Amino acid sequence: MLSIFSATLASCSLPIRAPEQQNVFRFNSPNIQTPTIDSTSSESAFLIQMRTPRAAEGFNTQSMMYSRDALNLAPYRDSRWLATPAHMLGDVIEQTLLKQPWVAGVVPNSANAPVAANLSCRLIRLEHDIDGSTGKAHLVMSCLWTTPANHEVQGHLRFDQTQAITRNDATGFATASQQLVNQAVTQIINQTRAVIVKSTKANS
């Protein structure tokens, strides 16, 4: 039986009790709404090309990783992510982009579609750092925006932040991770909009 617990985490990572008696957590899409883009052309919504984010070694599994020192990572035994964090991040970024009035769609491959920008991200680190009775979630990721035609760099973002964990367990880690994901995705959405605004002005 699947059971949802900790209802107070409605806006945070959602824990699910899996058949194998593991706690399973996922990321939710943050509620971000940005303004429309004023354009001199007929276009007011744009296509964005985005591939599933890549992950650094050690963070390309569904394991929820924790560390008690700087050199060693270990997975939680009875808790895991619903999918790999990079895959979930890709889904969250895409879902949040699709909420924006200036986004017509998100595609994995542009083919002959008139794409306004290419977005590629890489998950570098997502772990629960434990120091005695205190802990923090640490998320590091980078994103790159390039032009569809010649892959010229249009923008770059490196997100490297921590979030204190009030409860030093997997649920606390998932909740703090969701807060970091919200911050990172907000920056990604704003940067994507800024890249398209700049490109639109340059081509007008």
Side-chain angles (χ1 to χ4, degrees):
M1 293 291 292
L2 297 178
S3 63
I4 299 176
F5 61 90
S6 192
T8 57
L9 301 179
S11 62
C12 303
S13 301
L14 181 66
I16 306 167
R17 177 64 77 178
E20 63 271 23
Q21 298 302 305
Q22 279 201 327
N23 296 322
V24 182
F25 299 86
R26 66 177 172 88
F27 296 142
N28 292 319
S29 175
N31 186 21
I32 303 167
Q33 190 72 35
T34 55
T36 58
I37 294 177
D38 295 328
S39 174
T40 55
S41 69
S42 59
E43 291 182 298
S44 59
F46 306 85
L47 279 178
I48 298 165
Q49 177 176 289
M50 187 189 77
R51 295 183 176 88
T52 300
R54 296 171 294 123
E57 185 176 353
F59 298 98
N60 52 1
T61 74
Q62 291 175 245
S63 298
M64 298 179 72
M65 308 301 291
Y66 71 91
S67 175
R68 294 187 181 277
D69 59 67
L71 299 177
N72 295 296
L73 281 174
Y76 272 95
R77 184 186 62 183
D78 298 323
S79 299
R80 63 181 175 86
W81 298 116
L82 181 64
T84 64
H87 189 94
M88 290 193 296
L89 278 167
D91 285 347
V92 167
I93 295 168
E94 178 178 352
Q95 291 165 15
T96 311
L97 280 169
L98 290 172
K99 296 177 184 177
Q100 310 312 309
W102 42 271
V103 176
V106 179
V107 295
N109 194 322
S110 62
N112 295 321
V115 173
N118 296 327
L119 170 61
S120 59
C121 295
R122 182 171 185 262
L123 174 66
I124 300 170
R125 183 178 186 182
L126 177 60
E127 67 183 59
H128 179 183
D129 295 332
I130 301 174
D131 183 10
S133 61
T134 64
K136 61 185 178 181
H138 192 180
L139 172 62
V140 184
M141 64 182 297
S142 63
C143 292
L144 188 70
W145 289 261
T146 59
T147 57
N150 55 17
H151 302 289
E152 179 182 349
V153 175
Q154 295 176 291
H156 178 264
L157 170 70
R158 180 179 172 85
F159 183 89
D160 185 349
Q161 297 291 334
T162 61
Q163 178 68 43
I165 295 177
T166 55
R167 206 167 77 187
N168 237 357
D169 57 14
T171 300
F173 174 40
T175 303
S177 295
Q178 178 70 62
Q179 293 173 312
L180 291 172
V181 167
N182 291 349
Q183 296 173 32
V185 172
T186 298
Q187 292 186 25
I188 291 168
I189 298 303
N190 288 333
Q191 180 74 5
T192 303
R193 186 181 184 280
V195 163
I196 294 176
V197 168
K198 183 177 179 180
S199 176
T200 300
K201 290 181 178 179
N203 295 329
S204 62

